[in-house]
Amino acid sequence: MLIEAGKIGAEELQRALDFQQRYGGRLGAVLTRLGVCSEDVILPVLAEQLGVPLLLTDALPDRDAVQAALSRLNLPPQWFEKWEALPWLDEAGVLWLASRKPLHSAFSELLRERGAESFTWALVLSETLDGALALLHPPVEAGGELEAEHLRELAEEAPIISLVNNILTQAVELGASDIHLEPEQAALRVRFRVDGVLIDRLRAPRSRLDAVVSRVKLMANLDIAERRLPQDGRLSIRSAGQSLDVRVSTLPGPLGESVVMRLLPKDQAHIDLAHLGLSADIHAAFRQVTEQPHGMVLVTGPTGSGKSTTLYALLDEMNNGQRKLITVEDPVEYQLDGVFQVQVQSDIGYDFSRALRAILRQDPDVLMIGEMRDLETARIGVQAALTGHAVLSTLHTNDAIGAFGRMLDMGVEPFLFASAVRGVLAQRLVRRVCVHCAEPLAVPEGMSAIYASLRERFPHLLPDGPGFRRARGCEHCLGTGYRGRVGIYEWVSVTERMSHLLAEQASTEQILAQLGEGFRSLQEDGLCLAWRGETTLEEVFRVTGELAADGLGAVV
């Protein structure tokens, strides 16, 4: 049934069957443990096969209904925990039992001996069951310190291994970029970042926190006993048919350690500039500048705005086999064929500036610096751009024009930076409207005059007839109304006149006046996308801020 539904392949099934024959266990549990697919995929198919309902998180009973079932059966909570089953009485007095494995004949016989002649089974996900079993007891306060050896034992228990593997597999299946494990007063909260937005995925009992965190630490080769200081590590896994590098960060807090896992697919799909959402005019200007043999190009934006992806796409385009391309990064996120990539290691003193000095002796034509973090790195990058190298790098600024002030604030001499820089691209990522559930929308109230101005300035970006759409939500987009992301951009080319203004440390107003009517802000580029129905106005304003006082321009 899983193969027919397109959830797994025949080779993956055979691998699971071989594992089952060797080590035993139910096939569904084996598929989950091997990371072939998650319980989210298996249980709906199993529910159909067995003819029992699948219990979702929002259908969980309350504590009173669970306690009523315990009273009727006169059984202790520990008995149900042993069998991994949750009893409750519905409003009609019908006894229900939720379990991941509703096939325990011995368990059913024991219940009948207790007078439960009839009851109804429901399937439930492991993480949902973990949280639901807490209803058998009063809320439990956070526990004390556990010894390292005890933590290691907890981390190597089969249920914890299965839970962590299932969390990873679900995240991969949903296309998440990050997994957040967050301690709360009475629960372990798990959230996924999907399309740049955090969504709640599950809540496990608070008692699972130490074991789950310890399991992740073991996988990432971190110190399992160190719970007072932050730690960083990484691991490689194969889950849901994909190979991934996972960067792990732990951060201690008063309720326990918070863990964030960044998922980086090794088999990254080929990315080129044409598929990043650059409009034709910005794409052409960007290409023209980057085709020059020397000079600096900066990409700006906050963390998670896609800067590295843009630089990787640009490097791929510049990699024609006739030039030597070297990158210095922290960390190296994706491997690029034909590009020599260097990872800095600050813990041994091998930082950006030290790596750059060594790289310049390697005769590179194109140099990518992961981030301009300090004055020394910025100065070396500027000098390289002035001495015959093409230099690509990123900065954390709100917009393209802010990059000029940021470099000067770091201490780079204005006349040197003005001579070196060729252009600055600012970017953000907005979510695409889900193609399965989007609904047409009339021109929103109060936007007609704004779009009339935009159409006059950028007729090539606003075709006749607006295509506004509303994000409704469906099963394909997890009810969010969005699926996937696309970039919005702000491009500034540094002309000869602009270079003079930068050398003279001109104000932002003077620089904007020099850019003229052809320039459009991040927000304006997003408004053009919303007109064409690729995203929504709400999403543009979420990323860029509300409309400025004059109705146009990004809020800084």
Side-chain angles (χ1 to χ4, degrees):
M1 292 174 71
L2 286 168
I3 290 177
E4 289 176 358
K7 304 299 184 182
I8 65 173
E11 291 183 2
E12 293 171 319
L13 174 60
Q14 188 57 52
R15 183 160 62 96
L17 290 172
D18 293 341
F19 185 96
Q20 183 189 42
Q21 185 176 15
R22 187 172 180 182
Y23 299 105
R26 294 190 179 277
L27 182 59
V30 171
L31 288 168
T32 303
R33 181 159 188 173
L34 293 178
V36 174
C37 56
S38 69
E39 282 190 343
D40 277 4
V41 170
I42 294 172
L43 287 195
V45 177
L46 186 59
E48 180 184 351
Q49 182 186 24
L50 298 177
V52 299
L54 177 61
L55 184 69
L56 302 177
T57 303
D58 55 7
L60 284 175
D62 58 26
R63 196 178 299 274
D64 291 340
V66 174
Q67 295 300 320
L70 291 177
S71 298
R72 175 189 288 188
L73 297 170
N74 194 26
L75 287 166
Q78 293 79 6
W79 193 81
F80 287 97
E81 287 179 324
K82 173 186 174 182
W83 290 95
E84 296 182 303
L86 180 76
W88 77 94
L89 296 179
D90 65 15
E91 295 178 355
V94 175
L95 177 63
W96 284 77
L97 290 162
S99 173
R100 293 179 298 121
K101 299 174 283 189
L103 300 174
H104 287 307
S105 57
F107 179 70
S108 300
E109 289 299 324
L110 288 169
L111 281 176
R112 292 189 177 93
E113 290 177 7
R114 289 284 179 166
E117 292 297 331
S118 64
F119 45 86
T120 304
W121 281 107
L123 271 173
V124 64
L125 292 166
S126 294
E127 60 265 19
T128 303
L129 181 63
D130 284 337
L133 289 176
L135 299 173
L136 294 165
H137 304 279
V140 179
E141 296 293 330
E145 289 292 316
L146 295 173
E147 296 296 331
E149 192 58 37
H150 187 201
L151 288 172
R152 188 177 298 275
E153 291 174 1
L154 290 176
E156 292 176 348
E157 290 180 351
I160 297 301
I161 294 174
S162 178
L163 176 58
V164 172
N165 287 351
N166 202 46
I167 289 172
L168 287 165
T169 305
Q170 284 184 38
V172 175
E173 290 174 346
L174 294 176
S177 60
D178 301 85
I179 301 171
H180 292 244
L181 308 177
E182 302 167 338
E184 294 185 340
Q185 192 68 40
L188 164 61
R189 185 186 190 189
V190 180
R191 296 197 287 173
F192 295 164
R193 189 176 294 280
V194 180
D195 294 333
V197 177
L198 283 171
I199 61 171
D200 276 310
R201 193 58 190 167
L202 65 98
R203 272 181 168 81
R206 181 64 173 74
S207 58
R208 296 272 186 171
L209 173 66
D210 294 314
V212 169
V213 171
S214 297
R215 178 63 192 168
V216 174
K217 283 183 174 181
L218 282 178
M219 295 170 69
N221 293 316
L222 299 179
D223 184 354
I224 197 172
E226 179 55 74
R227 306 170 72 189
R228 299 167 300 170
L229 296 174
Q231 297 188 70
D232 294 296
R234 63 189 305 151
L235 61 135
S236 295
I237 62 169
R238 183 167 182 82
S239 186
Q242 293 189 47
S243 296
L244 302 100
D245 281 327
V246 183
R247 284 162 43 195
V248 178
S249 171
T250 70
L251 183 67
L255 295 178
E257 291 179 281
S258 170
V259 178
V260 176
M261 293 182 277
R262 169 65 60 88
L263 307 181
L264 302 169
K266 291 181 179 179
D267 305 324
Q268 181 74 0
H270 179 72
I271 299 175
D272 57 40
L273 290 177
H275 292 88
L276 295 182
L278 289 162
S279 56
D281 55 345
I282 292 180
H283 190 188
F286 195 41
R287 283 283 302 277
Q288 182 180 4
V289 168
T290 55
E291 285 174 355
Q292 298 182 29
H294 55 81
M296 177 180 288
V297 175
L298 297 173
V299 179
T300 78
T303 301
S305 59
K307 303 185 298 296
S308 295
T309 300
T310 298
L311 288 184
Y312 281 132
L314 182 55
L315 280 172
D316 188 64
E317 196 160 293
M318 299 173 77
N319 187 15
N320 57 10
Q322 299 176 357
R323 292 185 283 188
K324 181 162 186 172
L325 292 80
I326 303 181
T327 74
V328 52
E329 307 171 65
D330 183 21
V332 174
E333 295 191 9
Y334 302 117
Q335 298 290 336
L336 298 175
D337 292 335
V339 179
F340 189 80
Q341 296 172 269
V342 176
Q343 168 139 356
V344 301
Q345 298 184 60
S346 301
D347 55 336
I348 61 172
Y350 189 48
D351 56 13
F352 274 101
S353 56
R354 186 172 179 180
L356 282 171
R357 285 192 293 269
I359 287 170
L360 289 174
R361 294 192 289 271
Q362 292 283 308
D363 188 31
D365 296 295
V366 179
L367 177 61
M368 188 193 99
I369 306 171
E371 182 184 344
M372 292 289 186
R373 294 184 177 178
D374 52 53
L375 175 58
E376 188 173 6
T377 301
R379 279 179 170 166
I380 295 173
V382 168
Q383 289 292 341
L386 292 172
T387 54
H389 304 85
V391 179
L392 315 174
S393 190
T394 70
L395 272 177
H396 289 277
T397 63
N398 285 333
D399 54 23
I401 295 174
F404 306 134
R406 177 76 183 99
M407 291 291 283
L408 299 182
D409 287 344
M410 281 197 290
V412 178
E413 292 78 2
F415 66 93
L416 290 178
F417 178 63
S419 301
V421 68
R422 296 288 179 263
V424 182
L425 182 76
Q427 66 179 71
R428 299 289 191 280
L429 294 175
V430 295
R431 292 179 292 173
R432 291 184 184 272
V433 181
C434 176
V435 297
H436 297 282
C437 63
E439 298 175 337
L441 183 68
V443 178
E445 184 178 354
M447 298 297 296
S448 297
I450 293 172
Y451 274 105
S453 174
L454 286 174
R455 292 193 72 191
E456 183 178 343
R457 293 168 57 201
F458 310 113
H460 59 292
L461 298 178
L462 300 169
D464 292 336
F468 290 110
R469 295 196 289 177
R470 185 201 319 271
R472 183 167 56 87
C474 66
E475 61 179 8
H476 297 283
C477 58
L478 304 178
T480 63
Y482 300 93
R483 191 64 175 166
R485 289 190 287 177
V486 63
I488 56 175
Y489 301 92
E490 176 180 301
W491 170 251
V492 173
S493 289
V494 179
T495 61
E496 185 175 350
R497 173 58 184 157
M498 176 79 72
S499 182
H500 287 307
L501 289 175
L502 294 178
E504 296 167 1
Q505 301 186 57
S507 66
T508 300
E509 290 74 19
Q510 291 174 300
I511 295 174
L512 281 171
Q514 175 64 30
L515 293 174
E517 282 294 307
F519 169 78
R520 65 179 176 277
S521 68
L522 283 165
Q523 190 174 79
E524 291 168 340
D525 199 46
L527 292 175
C528 294
L529 276 185
W531 173 278
R532 300 196 297 270
E534 295 183 46
T535 187
T536 64
L537 287 172
E538 292 82 4
E539 182 66 7
V540 173
F541 296 145
R542 180 186 71 84
V543 172
T544 65
E546 296 298 324
L547 284 172
D550 61 357
L552 289 173
V555 176
V556 178

